[in-house]
Amino acid sequence: DAYSDVSLEYFDGAWRFTAGLPASVSSLPAANASQQTWTIAACIDDGLRPDRLPIGCFGKDLEVTGACCGHAPASVEIGGATASAVRGEYRRRENFEGRPAYAKADASQFLFYSDSLGGWQISTGLGQGGGMSHPDVRACSPDRLEGAWQSVDPRLGQMQPVELAILGHPSPPWVMLSGWPSHLEDFTGEFRLTDMTCGGRPVYMLPSSDGSDSTNASAFASIFYEAAAGEWRVVAGRQQVVAAGLGPEAHRPDDVWEWHLLEGDTCAAWPDLAAHVFRPGPPALLVSGRRSKVSSAINGEYVRQVRDVHGRSAYEKPDGSKRFFYSQKHAEWQIVGEEGGVLAYCQDPHTRDPSRLRKPWIVGLAPDKLVRTEVLPLAARLKIWLAPSRQWQG
């Protein structure tokens, strides 16, 4: 049974979470009035702000944070004239020292706030200094910092401003779950972003076919984060949990590592089930403007591929000779040849739709302001040709 009337209060030199005993226990004859409450967790500290207590004070599985942690974006993008190792997308992870923390997908760089280090930091280790820092201690989220980032100039031994910009990305407008077993295929569809949050994370809803909030399990479902259990859930109707994925570090459902199906009293891992989110980008691109003999082959049509690369749309020429995709490692859009060599690149990590790149392409070693990418218009009609010697089958 669940505890009732959970409260957080300070007494006898400690902050304590207390709760009423479950009904099945409190109703027993031995349970008198003095035994009706129970201390769930305690933190021995004289601080007057429970959201500023030392990390781990209540134990490794319980943390009290300020309200600002719930309003930070699920991912941020770092751009600017800084080193390529720093540029790129950072996904949100567990809070650190009471504020949201972020890391690159390969954990090569971390973005976090540290009281002991005096502000926001970008470094190769969570909780470690030595990289870039920002003295704005008021901002709850790194995309709201005011002023310039700084780093130590090794030649002068002094702090110097760094040209760096951080852009917060909103939650994806929809999420799709694929890989359901045949009897649950009704849950394959677009779960649309709502204006609600749960546990500080977005809530998605799969509407019924007529758009109403029907409680029919096969026609209405939602995806949300259940903070008490530390997991994302797919719920049919109002109560039936269909699938769940453990993810206290996952601030978006597509970050869940593994989903489990719940049917009756059984819970089994289902590796085929995966969440996908909307990736901006047209179905085809046209690259033009390269006039030099060197690397002029980058010009041409590129068709979007089924599989994204590093969380963004990826393209390829119809003959497979060139590929167009986003490099997470270098924080830039690249056009590469068949051997994998980079022919051209555009250092515009903030733009997720490659048809709207704002910075110039660098071809070889020099920028070429004439190179551009644009949407390849869809054909108004299709002409299908069939050799006279062949016949349609089926």
Side-chain angles (χ1 to χ4, degrees), residues 16-39:
R16 303 173 188 271
F17 280 98
T18 60
L21 292 177
S24 59
V25 175
S26 59
S27 61
L28 295 176
N32 55 44
S34 64
Q35 299 172 321
Q36 295 298 303
T37 60
W38 184 262
T39 298

Side-chain angles (χ1 to χ4, degrees), residues 190-194 196 203-207 213 220-223:
E190 292 184 5
F191 287 75
R192 301 171 190 169
L193 179 66
T194 69
M196 299 181 291
V203 175
Y204 292 85
M205 190 171 294
L206 179 68
D213 290 352
F220 172 78
S222 57
I223 301 176

Side-chain angles (χ1 to χ4, degrees), residues 287 298 302 322-324 333-337 341-344 361:
V287 177
I298 65 172
Y302 293 76
K322 305 291 183 296
R323 292 185 298 127
F324 184 128
W333 290 91
Q334 296 181 346
I335 298 177
V336 303
V342 179
L343 303 176
W361 281 86

Side-chain angles (χ1 to χ4, degrees), residues 53-309:
L53 296 174
I55 301 299
C57 194
F58 284 105
K60 65 178 183 179
D61 297 325
L62 181 60
E63 179 185 359
V64 179
T65 61
C68 71
C69 289
H71 300 289
S75 68
V76 297
E77 196 87 35
I78 294 181
T82 184
S84 62
V86 173
R87 295 197 306 267
E89 183 179 21
Y90 290 65
R91 291 286 187 90
R92 191 169 171 184
R93 47 170 295 140
E94 290 178 311
N95 296 330
F96 185 78
E97 295 197 11
R99 304 202 192 187
Y102 298 82
K104 278 195 169 185
D106 60 0
S108 62
Q109 296 285 335
F110 294 84
L111 169 61
F112 60 93
Y113 174 85
S114 171
D115 262 335
S116 60
L117 296 174
W120 288 87
Q121 310 288 320
I122 300 175
S123 75
T124 56
L126 183 64
Q128 301 176 8
M132 300 180 184
S133 62
H134 199 294
D136 185 357
V137 298
R138 296 168 299 175
C140 287
S141 177
D143 60 322
R144 299 180 181 180
L145 295 172
E146 296 183 2
W149 281 81
Q150 305 174 73
S151 67
V152 177
D153 188 323
R155 297 171 299 175
L156 304 176
Q158 299 177 349
M159 298 296 288
Q160 297 291 329
V162 178
E163 185 181 339
L164 185 152
I166 299 181
L167 178 68
H169 290 303
S171 298
W174 57 260
V175 172
M176 177 177 287
L177 285 170
S178 63
W180 292 99
S182 57
H183 65 287
L184 294 175
E185 287 184 348
D186 286 340
F187 295 103
T188 300
E190 292 184 5
F191 287 75
R192 301 171 190 169
L193 179 66
T194 69
D195 57 2
M196 299 181 291
T197 60
C198 191
R201 307 183 198 193
V203 175
Y204 292 85
M205 190 171 294
L206 179 68
S208 61
S209 57
D210 60 1
S212 64
D213 290 352
S214 167
T215 56
N216 185 303
S218 64
F220 172 78
S222 57
I223 301 176
F224 62 87
Y225 180 74
E226 176 54 63
E231 64 186 20
W232 283 89
R233 291 179 175 178
V234 181
V235 176
R238 301 293 183 186
Q239 297 180 338
Q240 182 187 355
V241 180
V242 180
L246 189 64
E249 294 186 5
H251 284 260
R252 298 183 353 185
D254 58 310
D255 287 333
V256 173
W257 181 254
E258 184 177 57
W259 291 88
H260 291 70
L261 297 182
L262 288 82
E263 299 184 85
D265 296 329
T266 63
C267 175
W270 195 258
D272 292 339
L273 187 60
H276 311 277
V277 300
F278 171 74
R279 311 289 188 193
L285 286 172
L286 179 65
V287 177
S288 62
R290 181 61 176 174
R291 298 178 181 178
S292 171
K293 292 182 179 180
V294 179
S295 300
S296 61
I298 65 172
N299 292 331
E301 300 177 359
Y302 293 76
V303 180
R304 186 168 179 174
Q305 304 299 291
V306 173
R307 294 186 178 276
D308 298 327
V309 174

Side-chain angles (χ1 to χ4, degrees), residues 365-393:
L365 298 176
D368 188 338
K369 295 183 178 181
L370 296 178
V371 176
R372 57 178 296 186
T373 57
E374 57 189 307
V375 176
L376 181 65
L378 295 174
R381 294 177 295 176
L382 293 176
K383 183 177 181 180
I384 300 176
W385 179 85
L386 185 67
S389 60
R390 301 191 61 181
Q391 296 181 352
W392 290 106
Q393 300 294 323

